[in-house]
């Protein structure tokens, strides 16, 4: 199999594993634990499954692709650049996402995601679970969607645009499990912003930090927000 063929298989494997985790991880784990509702323990195990997926992709990369996980060499920057990049990305994503969310709510009168309502109860003052969830999302999603999938799509099609749009599209689709239009469109927008940054600056650590902050601040706000206003959040 050619390298592009191995890259294609790796992308499909990664997306299928992530989608399966989003859809089936909780019910599969719960078949052994028999919880009647979504609990913090159950959700913690669900997040652990994402780390298992990262390990599986790393194994595939090492044994099948036989290439560096990072197609693009990681570039180093000054601490001041890190700070400026994280702050800039954060506000671009938050304000851009809020603008898109406002348009979607105005046009569709979209209701609150049932999953967000579950999260509101699940994460209430559970700071360990909040931090672990945000860390998992930041590390796993950035390593797999940006560092792994994006440059491989670009290599396969010889097109930076395909790398950016393709990885962002897959990122948006994975968030469709929230059940609302906003929770697909906004991650797609964030995926575009992050992919453009990664293409230009080739530094995944900045994206991991920013992703963590977006989720962490949103979840902390959710702790103090009335349930009827949850649709304003861009988790």
């Amino acid at each position: 199999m050619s390298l592009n063929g191995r890259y294609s298989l790796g992308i499909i494997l990664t997306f299928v594993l992530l989608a399966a985790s989003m859809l089936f991880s909780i019910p599969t784990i719960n078949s052994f634990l028999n919880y009647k509702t979504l609990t913090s323990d159950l959700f913690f195990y669900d997040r652990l499954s994402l780390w298992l997926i990262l390990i599986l992709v790393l194994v595939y990369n090492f044994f099948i692709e036989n290439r560096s996980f990072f197609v693009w060499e990681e570039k180093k920057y000054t601490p001041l650049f890190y700070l400026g990049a994280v702050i800039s990305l954060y506000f671009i994503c938050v304000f851009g996402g809020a603008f898109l969310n406002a348009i979607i709510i105005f046009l569709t009168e979209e209701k609150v995601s049932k999953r967000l309502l579950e999260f509101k109860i699940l994460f209430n003052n559970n700071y360990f679970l909040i931090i672990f969830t945000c860390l998992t999302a930041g590390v796993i999603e950035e390593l797999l969607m940006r560092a792994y999938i994006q440059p491989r799509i670009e290599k396969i099609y010889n097109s930076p645009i395909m790398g950016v749009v393709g990885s962002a599209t897959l990122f948006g689709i994975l968030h469709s499990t929230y059940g609302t239009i906003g929770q697909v469109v906004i991650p797609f927008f964030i995926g575009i912003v992050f992919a453009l940054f990664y293409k230009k600056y080739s530094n995944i650590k900045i994206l991991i930090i920013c992703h963590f902050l977006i989720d962490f601040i949103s979840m902390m706000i959710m702790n103090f927000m009335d349930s009827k206003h949850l649709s304003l959040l861009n988790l």
Side-chain angles (χ1 to χ4, degrees):
M1 184 185 295
S2 67
L3 181 59
N4 279 353
R6 284 175 279 168
Y7 280 169
S8 298
L9 185 59
I11 291 168
I12 293 170
L13 173 69
T14 302
F15 181 74
V16 168
L17 287 174
L18 287 172
S21 177
M22 297 291 185
L23 293 170
F24 306 117
S25 175
I26 289 178
T28 300
I29 295 170
N30 200 34
S31 66
F32 297 97
L33 300 177
N34 294 317
Y35 288 118
K36 294 183 178 179
T37 59
L38 181 62
T39 66
S40 58
D41 288 345
L42 181 55
F43 192 77
F44 174 77
Y45 296 135
D46 170 65
R47 296 300 89 180
L48 281 180
S49 71
L50 293 175
W51 291 93
L52 176 60
I53 289 172
L54 176 60
I55 293 172
L56 292 174
V57 174
L58 287 171
V59 169
Y60 176 86
N61 167 250
F62 183 79
F63 288 103
I64 306 300
E65 290 181 353
N66 196 25
R67 294 289 191 281
S68 171
F69 182 87
F70 294 96
V71 174
W72 300 334
E73 183 179 353
E74 189 80 353
K75 296 179 181 178
K76 297 180 180 179
Y77 297 98
T78 64
L80 188 61
F81 181 87
Y82 269 75
L83 180 62
V86 168
I87 292 173
S88 299
L89 283 171
Y90 177 83
F91 283 110
I92 289 171
C93 291
V94 168
F95 286 112
F99 177 73
L100 289 172
N101 201 34
I103 293 175
I104 292 169
I105 292 174
F106 176 76
L107 293 176
T108 66
E109 297 182 356
E110 190 168 62
K111 296 181 180 179
V112 178
S113 164
K114 292 182 179 179
R115 193 169 187 185
L116 280 186
L117 291 173
E118 289 181 328
F119 284 177
K120 167 75 173 169
I121 299 171
L122 188 68
F123 291 113
N124 186 36
N125 296 323
N126 191 335
Y127 300 111
F128 169 78
L129 189 61
I130 289 174
I131 292 172
F132 181 72
T133 298
C134 296
L135 181 64
T136 298
V139 173
I140 304 300
E141 293 180 13
E142 293 313 313
L143 284 178
L144 294 183
M145 302 307 300
R146 249 65 65 180
Y148 186 79
I149 287 180
Q150 181 186 342
R152 283 164 173 78
I153 291 178
E154 179 176 323
K155 287 281 187 181
I156 291 168
Y157 293 100
N158 194 28
S159 169
I161 294 176
M162 282 296 295
V164 169
V165 176
S167 61
T169 300
L170 295 178
F171 188 60
I173 292 172
L174 285 175
H175 286 78
S176 64
T177 54
Y178 282 86
T180 65
I181 298 173
Q183 296 296 344
V184 174
V185 173
I186 294 166
F188 172 77
F189 165 72
I190 293 174
I192 291 287
V193 173
F194 277 22
L196 287 171
F197 178 89
Y198 190 57
K199 174 59 182 174
K200 182 173 179 60
Y201 296 104
S202 188
N203 187 289
I204 203 64
K205 292 186 287 294
I206 291 173
L207 295 179
I208 289 173
I209 294 169
C210 189
H211 194 145
F212 173 86
L213 285 176
I214 291 172
D215 287 354
F216 179 74
I217 293 173
S218 295
M219 287 189 177
M220 293 303 292
I221 292 173
M222 182 173 64
N223 261 328
F224 304 101
M225 180 180 284
D226 191 289
S227 297
K228 64 182 178 182
H229 300 307
L230 286 180
S231 60
L232 299 176
L233 282 179
N234 304 318
L235 289 176

